[in-house]
Amino acid sequence: MLPLSLRLVAVSAVLVFFWGPPVVHARCRNQPGDPGYPSAADWSALNDTINGRLLNVVPSAKACSELGCTEAQWESGFFRQTIPGAMNAYNWEQDYGPPAELCLRNGSSCAQGDVSLYAVNATSVAHIQAGIIFAQAHNLRVVIKSSGHDYLGRSTAKNSLLLWTAYFKNVTFTEHFSIAGSDHGPAVTVGSGVGLKTIYDAAKAQGKMFVGGTAATVSPAGGYIQGAGHSAFSPLYGLAADNVLQFSVVLANGSFVTVNSVSHPDLFWAMRGGGSGSWGVIIDATVPTLPIFNVTLHTVNLLTATLDQTCSLMNTHAMHVNDWNEVRAGQYFYLTGSTSNSTLAVSTLFKDLDGDASKAQMSSFLADAAALGVVIQGESTLTTFANDIVGFQDDASGYNVILSSRLVPGTVYSDAPSSVGPAYKQLLSQGIQSILGHIVAGGQVAANAHIDSAVNPAWRTAKTHVVATQRWDSSLSASDVQALRSNFTAIVRPVLAGLAGGESSGSYLNEGDVLEPDFRVTFFGPKYPRLEKIKAAYDPDDLFIVPVGVRSEFWDSEGMCTIERTIS
């Protein structure tokens, strides 16, 4: 007789033959009108549990109508983050359908769209725990939001309960941050509601600096680090995910845990690059601090008169990208234009170089650009503390925008710089009017390849991060917006992927396209299988599901119902 294990395999094979492979049937979360949806009494009980901090959430256009927002407030990231339903890019508040549910500024009507119905306005761990336990008990869709600085719509969802962390505002500095008795040196612990501008100012007062980006309202302890987190200082110090020391997190089961290299190291691995909104609610994060340092910001604008001249300029820039390797400068090179004239605005940050030395670093590129007939305007330098240069005073907000991006390998610039200009030319020819380039890789980002984390390996071979953007006016019909979004992905993604090395090329998760056809490869690369296992261990019921997040492929686009599938 066959061994038991072989007999079971044989029986399984027979069952599969007659009835097919096992099927995972669809299941849905509760929405208003469903029998399991919370009653008014249930919501009232939750409100009592969290000390009266349950909010009814409305879209930002409705909130601003009620508040009488000024134009400056509507466009302010700082102001919008005080509105629980507001997103910086407010297209993510809309449901473009069909059927469409829109709430537009100065519109004649207002629907809830893709904005949460209720929010836990949390100021304590207990508030977050109560919200999670309530959501689990009533099978609700959950989203997590700090400031709403999100280009993929992960911080808002139709008929959901929002766990709002905007008021976790603690900023605590130490000279000796310890993990399991090991001293990791100077560090700062920041709440998940604190934006970069606030932390830069606080760090300056302490004579400190840290690795962060430019956007004032981005919360390092929100999605920034979880998505990898690039900075103008990444060539010098690595990605934000390379630097973070610890997270404090409320998990899907309601437990409050410390996550670092010793405590829950598998989750620590996942949260460094494995995407935001997928692992738990971050209460705070701890990152190393550096002694404050001086930076020179060199800025210059380059104006072209024809599409071919723009193509030549971008080739020339590509040939000079490696000029700044030795000093590990960071750079933002933003092209705006059309099939005729364009402007390339270049901002380069040089650590510990003065204005003259910074101009010398840029001289070769500018000389070659001038030889093309490009008009060079407004060259200037400013030298001061890094804290005062790198961060914006506020973030432009209240507009509609989608992005598509790729991490462009260093080999493109060393071996094939002439491939860069034609890619820009093609995008401009297709109607893309804004292409944002960033030298935020290479240097220490590449040197940190030995760090074992969920950061997409494409970062370790990249030199630049290139983003194409698409904006539109709110007067555009919902059906036209849907067509524009699909067309944007169809025309832009192949060009950027071709520039970056093909279909397996990588993209920065926080500034990418939510319609990427194979997001697991594009955003996570070979790290995805391990991420999926860790997700299953810490969130087996997928309480935390976000667009293009881990295990989102098993859910519909709204994160409300799973997709019926067979198990091979």
Side-chain angles (χ1 to χ4, degrees), residues 21-24 565-568:
V23 175
V24 177
R565 67 187 192 279
T566 58
I567 301 175
S568 57

Side-chain angles (χ1 to χ4, degrees), residues 125 128-129 132 144 192 221 226 246-260 263-264 267-268 271 278-285 538 544:
V125 171
I128 295 294
Q129 291 173 315
I132 286 175
I144 307 163
S192 53
Q226 293 180 90
Q246 181 171 287
F247 301 99
S248 299
V249 186
V250 181
L251 301 177
N253 64 7
S255 61
F256 180 50
V257 299
T258 297
V259 179
N260 56 39
S263 174
H264 303 282
L267 187 57
F268 188 55
M271 293 182 70
S278 295
W279 310 102
V281 182
I282 298 177
I283 304 302
D284 59 47
Y538 283 93
F544 303 119

